[in-house]
Amino acid sequence: MRLRLCRWILSLGVLAAANALAASSAPFDLVGPTLEVTVSRGETILPIAQAPHLAAGDKLWIKADFPENQSERYLLVVSFLRGPTNPPPKEWFFRCETWKKKKRSCGQEGLSIAVPDGAKQALIFLAPEDGGDFKTLVNAVRGRPGAFVRATQDLNQATLDRSRLERYLTAIRQLNAANPAVLKDTTPLLARSLGIQVDPKCLDRLPQLQAPCLMEGQDTLILNDGHSVSIVEALTSGPASDLLMTASSTREGNNGYYSPYISSLLDLGRLFDSFRIANYQYIPALATAVGTQLTLTLNTPPSFHDPKSVLTAALPAIEKALPPPLHAVSPKDIYCARKDSLVLPVEGAPLVFATEYAHNTFLRVTGKNGEVIELPATADATQGGFVVDTSPLGNASLADRFRGSLHGFWGFEKFEGPAFQLVNTHDQTWAPSSTDDQSLIVGRANTIHLQAGSVACIDRIMVKDPTGKELRVDWSPVKANEVEINLPLQQAQPGALTLLVSQYGSSEPQPLELRAYPEAGRFESFTLHEGESHGMLKGSRLGDVATLSLQGIDFVPTPSSTMIEGDSLRMEVAPAADASASNPDETKPAPKLQQGTAAKAKVILRDGRTYNVNVSVAAPRPSVELVGKSVQASTRTNESNISLASENQLPQDAQLIFSVRAKSPSVFSREANIEIASSDEAFTTTLSLANRGLTLADTRVAIATFDPAKAFGFSAFGPLKFRVVNNGAAGDWQPLVTLVRLPVLQALQCPAEADQSCKLTGSNLFLVKSVAGDPDFKQAVEVPAGFPGRALPVPRPGESGLYIKLRDDPSIVNVAALVAEQPPAPPAEVAPSATPPVAAGEPTAAGAAVSPAAPHNAN
């Protein structure tokens, strides 16, 4: 029994909620009659579209605009209300028989009435003519004044919200028809201006699909607007609304999310459903005001059978004027007064954009001479603010910075809007905001930032590339005094660039000279050891580096420095400007940085660009000085018959003994060792106490013994260097000796005839670069590279002997310790008249004899 009762109660509740929703869900799409309405206050006459409020004493002129062939007669009744608990007097009801077209009839001239003192609401009724129509209507309103007060408020609220919705939908349709691509940028401004809820996912769709998506779900598009609610205050609702809101929380009721517009329509559906008497039923009509015309829109078809339909529309509330709560979207923003079409973004009052209540609006500014200038301003929801016509400024004298404020009329009352900061176009200094913005790199897009006093008046920005071609660039303000510019330099060539900044109201653009560079290298770090005046810069494209500045000290690439593995450059402190020519090694002091200190240095390239690089300071490096050295020649060295002219030359099969003195630290530790390497470090060896290559003479001096043949083999040659290594820290490389390989010169035979060359025999003659009979090598014989023979034609020796340059060290002239011998006499069987044999060399590896080479200069 209880279960049946619960089901019955639930069925009644669902049925009641469904009926209420169905009654209000019909759209207001039936176009009804049109009225002409004006409001007069004193000497000012306004069309009804510009009157958000009425006041006691205002004069209303109302005329019904029915077509000539109107068959049904309508009685026009205007009623004033004074509250839900205080029925209006009968004299507050005014009637007009609209079908009478005679002169001096209200049907011809319209109904003129004054708003009575104490009235709070006003309603318009259009009732089908019936003998007792007027009396019946008066009794209905006087009998239930609260219901009609509530109807007035709901009609006004629904009308205001519908105006916002219609303005939004109309704008979306127009934008979509003109250019769907602009919807993504314009819709947020439109929604902000009108207080509309927009689904952001719609803007992520294809442009062709955005408009249908943005217009879906019109029931939930309108957001609550405090201003329109304050214009039409809603009364508290009773138990009937509780049932309706309970139904609205269901899935079929859109889960409780109702816009103010839909809420008002639901109230109207519930309220007017109760306005049924024997002869009349009251149906709501939304009154859309455009100028003087008030067009009624219905959601219920009117009935001309009993009960006949009375069209009910609301006039603006009779209350104190409430100015629009406009405020600037960004009060700190600065705007250019010289723009042809200046837009001042505002928000907070959607009715300013959806209705004609705000009219005769203007922006008031003051010139330098105190002249007050009023610039016409028009509210534009698609641009998100007031569009100001700046043409009246003309040649007005304006300060560089000044303020302007919005003014206008809200109905009959003046209102003051927000103030804005404005700037006038004037010549400014444009400069990159940072040094990085001067380093434009060709081959890619570049983003730079320019700063000036104000960027509000920028009209466009062009760039002129090195070929003189002008390109328009994309730019956007990021601050009041800074603009971001995107430069497309993918196809540009390095060279001078000119930015041309054009401002509104200025005839000539302002140029800014920049420069585009090729791609620069990377600069990872600069490392130096404590107390040293040189360091290593690590990175790429280091050949472009001119100087490095650290603590006011300039470092320059070492003249003889070479890249180490292509990513390091040795740099040393530049010579002091006052260094004497006699002592060019005078330098500025080394940076006073201690181990572990982190600092920044500035790398300056040859083209003027600068980059910051991290500096790291390592522990002091060990250092030694070379005290002395001696060469212990081997038996094979003596057999070569070559007397080396420099002590810096070390025969490959000899032994080098050299001594070094410790400088930093001042004594040798047991872990110290000496590294010896070729110039390219292809060959290295380590001398230490452990391998007996190093012997301590005392705590400060060590004796090193180096056998190149054992350490490097027979293919090593050229300059050798050494350094000390102590506890993993390596000192600077220092030159040691030049390793040379010696050929074995066995004999020198010279014919008796002075005009004939001599023959030099021996082994490994490919180690000889050139041979001459004089130390100046004026008459020299060049030995071909890779010569495999055992005999060479050479010039006759001079007084001191035969001079030889070795291939491993051609800078030194050495002397061959050989005595010239005459060749043996020819055999007796050879006829004297026979041609004497020509000295020839030994056969080559290919079997061909080597002919004497003609002497030539070989310095």
Side-chain angles (χ1 to χ4, degrees):
M1 186 69 178
R2 290 181 179 178
L3 180 60
R4 289 198 203 99
L5 180 60
C6 290
R7 288 178 177 174
W8 180 73
I9 294 174
L10 179 61
S11 299
L12 287 179
V14 172
L15 179 61
N19 290 335
L21 286 171
S24 63
S25 61
F28 280 79
D29 56 0
L30 298 176
V31 178
T34 299
L35 305 175
E36 289 189 43
V37 184
T38 61
V39 184
S40 302
R41 184 177 299 175
E43 297 181 356
T44 304
I45 302 176
L46 293 181
I48 188 61
Q50 294 183 1
H53 308 276
L54 298 178
D58 287 350
K59 294 181 179 180
L60 295 174
W61 176 79
I62 305 174
K63 180 182 178 182
D65 186 13
F66 287 105
E68 293 292 336
N69 59 354
Q70 176 71 28
S71 60
E72 182 67 29
R73 295 178 176 182
Y74 272 99
L75 179 68
L76 171 64
V77 178
V78 177
S79 171
F80 294 97
L81 308 174
R82 57 183 179 185
T85 61
N86 192 3
K90 293 182 180 180
E91 58 267 22
W92 282 15
F93 292 84
F94 303 87
R95 59 179 290 170
C96 175
E97 296 173 339
T98 61
W99 61 88
K100 294 183 178 181
K101 301 300 181 182
K102 296 180 180 180
K103 291 183 178 180
R104 295 189 176 277
S105 68
C106 68
Q108 180 69 24
E109 297 182 358
L111 181 64
S112 295
I113 54 178
V115 177
D117 189 20
K120 295 182 179 179
Q121 292 86 24
L123 279 172
I124 295 177
F125 298 95
L126 284 173
E129 190 267 335
D130 190 355
D133 44 16
F134 181 69
K135 183 178 179 180
T136 301
L137 192 150
V138 171
N139 290 336
V141 174
R142 286 173 51 81
R144 299 180 63 186
F148 284 93
V149 168
R150 179 63 183 273
T152 305
Q153 294 171 332
D154 285 344
L155 282 171
N156 272 323
Q157 181 68 60
T159 299
L160 295 176
D161 290 337
R162 181 184 174 91
S163 67
R164 293 160 56 196
L165 179 62
E166 285 297 326
R167 185 62 60 92
Y168 168 77
L169 296 177
T170 301
I172 291 294
R173 293 188 191 101
Q174 292 175 347
L175 292 170
N176 185 57
N179 184 8
V182 304
L183 281 173
K184 188 168 187 177
D185 295 328
T186 306
T187 299
L189 300 177
L190 185 65
R192 183 190 70 195
S193 302
L194 296 172
I196 296 294
Q197 174 77 23
V198 171
D199 185 356
K201 295 180 180 179
C202 292
L203 300 177
D204 294 333
R205 298 188 178 186
L206 294 174
Q208 294 80 3
L209 302 178
Q210 289 177 4
C213 178
L214 292 170
M215 293 189 289
E216 287 179 355
Q218 297 180 16
D219 295 355
T220 58
L221 285 177
I222 301 178
L223 296 176
N224 240 327
D225 173 30
H227 188 220
S228 59
V229 172
S230 67
I231 294 177
V232 186
E233 297 180 355
L235 297 177
T236 56
S237 48
S241 67
D242 296 337
L243 174 63
L244 191 61
M245 290 300 105
T246 301
S248 72
S249 64
T250 63
R251 179 170 57 88
E252 292 78 9
N254 206 17
N255 296 316
Y257 187 88
Y258 282 99
S259 68
Y261 176 46
I262 298 302
S263 296
S264 298
L265 297 185
L266 291 174
D267 290 341
L268 286 170
R270 180 188 67 251
L271 183 63
F272 278 91
D273 188 56
S274 65
F275 286 174
R276 293 176 181 267
I277 58 177
N279 296 326
Y280 287 145
Q281 65 173 350
Y282 296 85
I283 62 175
L286 299 184
T288 303
V290 178
T292 60
Q293 289 190 337
L294 205 62
T295 302
L296 304 186
T297 308
L298 313 175
N299 74 335
T300 302
S303 172
F304 297 99
H305 296 288
D306 289 340
K308 295 180 180 180
S309 298
V310 178
L311 310 185
T312 307
L315 287 172
I318 305 167
E319 59 185 4
K320 183 180 179 180
L322 296 174
L326 278 177
H327 58 268
V329 174
S330 300
K332 295 183 179 180
D333 284 356
I334 301 175
Y335 304 91
C336 181
R338 293 295 183 179
K339 274 190 175 182
D340 297 336
S341 182
L342 172 62
V343 177
L344 300 177
V346 296
E347 61 182 354
L351 294 182
V352 169
F353 298 94
T355 68
E356 300 177 30
Y357 293 159
H359 57 94
N360 295 345
T361 51
F362 58 89
L363 180 70
R364 178 179 293 162
V365 299
T366 304
K368 277 186 176 181
N369 55 5
E371 176 189 7
V372 177
I373 307 171
E374 295 181 351
L375 309 176
T378 305
D380 188 340
T382 59
Q383 299 194 56
F386 278 88
V387 180
V388 180
D389 179 10
T390 59
S391 59
L393 289 177
N395 297 322
S397 178
L398 301 173
D400 290 344
R401 289 178 177 266
F402 55 96
R403 292 180 69 83
S405 56
L406 276 175
H407 298 267
F409 285 85
W410 184 253
F412 290 96
E413 307 294 331
K414 293 181 179 180
F415 79 90
E416 294 185 3
F420 299 88
Q421 302 180 63
L422 301 172
V423 293
N424 188 27
T425 299
H426 58 281
D427 290 340
Q428 302 185 85
T429 300
W430 300 90
S433 60
S434 68
T435 55
D436 291 341
D437 287 334
Q438 299 179 9
S439 301
L440 302 178
I441 307 301
V442 298
R444 58 181 172 86
N446 289 252
T447 299
I448 66 172
H449 292 77
L450 291 187
Q451 288 185 338
S454 172
V455 300
C457 286
I458 295 179
D459 181 13
R460 66 180 182 274
I461 299 178
M462 308 285 288
V463 62
K464 184 185 292 184
D465 64 15
T467 64
K469 182 179 179 181
E470 290 189 3
L471 301 172
R472 193 161 186 166
V473 300
D474 295 331
W475 60 275
S476 59
V478 293
K479 296 179 182 178
N481 65 334
E482 186 174 317
V483 61
E484 182 181 271
I485 304 174
N486 296 317
L487 296 175
L489 302 181
Q490 290 88 338
Q491 306 299 325
Q493 298 296 322
L497 293 175
T498 303
L499 276 182
L500 302 173
V501 183
S502 298
Q503 300 186 86
Y504 290 102
S506 179
S507 58
E508 295 294 332
Q510 289 184 256
L512 174 64
E513 300 297 330
L514 298 174
R515 190 170 186 84
Y517 299 95
E519 184 73 35
R522 70 180 192 284
F523 305 103
E524 299 174 1
S525 64
F526 180 65
T527 304
L528 72 163
H529 290 266
E530 181 181 335
E532 292 187 353
S533 60
H534 63 272
M536 299 297 293
L537 177 63
K538 189 174 182 180
S540 63
R541 299 188 183 182
L542 300 176
D544 296 334
V545 176
T547 58
L548 182 145
S549 179
L550 174 62
Q551 291 188 339
I553 300 175
D554 291 336
F555 289 74
V556 296
T558 305
S560 59
S561 66
T562 58
M563 300 300 173
I564 301 177
E565 297 180 359
D567 64 354
S568 297
L569 177 69
R570 178 186 169 96
M571 304 193 73
E572 60 185 17
V573 174
D578 56 354
S580 61
S582 60
N583 190 6
D585 293 333
E586 291 183 7
T587 61
K588 294 180 181 179
K592 297 179 180 179
L593 296 174
Q594 296 181 349
Q595 177 185 355
T597 302
K600 290 281 187 181
K602 181 182 292 184
V603 176
I604 305 172
L605 304 187
R606 301 184 190 278
D607 56 22
R609 283 179 287 176
T610 60
Y611 296 89
N612 292 329
V613 65
N614 293 322
V615 176
S616 60
V617 182
R621 291 195 295 183
S623 62
V624 295
E625 62 176 344
L626 186 63
V627 177
K629 56 187 173 184
S630 65
V631 175
Q632 303 293 325
S634 65
T635 304
R636 180 175 172 80
T637 302
N638 295 330
E639 291 177 353
S640 68
N641 292 321
I642 298 177
S643 298
L644 297 178
S646 173
E647 64 177 3
N648 287 325
Q649 289 183 317
L650 173 65
Q652 187 186 48
D653 53 359
Q655 189 178 63
L656 175 66
I657 299 175
F658 62 98
S659 58
V660 293
R661 178 181 289 110
K663 294 179 61 178
S664 176
S666 58
V667 296
F668 281 104
S669 67
R670 295 293 175 178
E671 291 76 19
N673 53 58
I674 300 292
E675 284 188 0
I676 300 176
S678 57
S679 58
D680 59 359
E681 299 183 26
F683 298 93
T684 60
T685 189
T686 301
L687 308 179
S688 64
L689 298 177
N691 62 19
R692 299 183 181 182
L694 196 63
T695 302
L696 294 181
D698 54 34
T699 58
R700 298 190 58 190
V701 178
I703 308 299
T705 303
F706 171 56
D707 191 334
K710 291 182 179 179
F712 295 162
F714 292 95
S715 293
F717 59 90
L720 301 180
K721 55 186 179 181
F722 79 99
R723 67 180 178 183
V724 61
V725 179
N726 189 10
N727 293 322
D732 277 342
W733 290 106
Q734 300 183 52
L736 183 58
V737 292
T738 299
L739 183 62
V740 295
R741 295 165 296 175
L742 299 179
V744 176
L745 305 182
Q746 297 173 343
L748 177 64
Q749 295 180 346
C750 297
E753 293 80 4
D755 58 346
Q756 292 188 7
S757 59
C758 302
K759 181 175 74 172
L760 177 64
T761 59
S763 60
N764 295 334
L765 297 180
F766 61 87
L767 297 175
V768 178
K769 187 178 187 304
S770 58
V771 183
D774 60 284
D776 296 330
F777 276 66
K778 293 181 178 179
Q779 299 293 328
V781 172
E782 292 286 337
V783 178
F787 177 72
R790 298 181 61 83
L792 281 173
V794 296
R796 286 182 174 270
E799 294 180 358
S800 299
L802 199 61
Y803 297 92
I804 293 177
K805 290 183 177 180
L806 297 175
R807 192 169 298 276
D808 292 343
D809 188 10
S811 62
I812 303 297
V813 177
N814 303 289
V815 178
L818 292 174
V819 178
E821 303 175 356
Q822 288 188 358
E829 62 272 12
V830 177
S833 60
T835 303
V838 178
E842 291 289 328
T844 65
V850 177
S851 301
H856 62 278
N857 291 333
N859 292 322

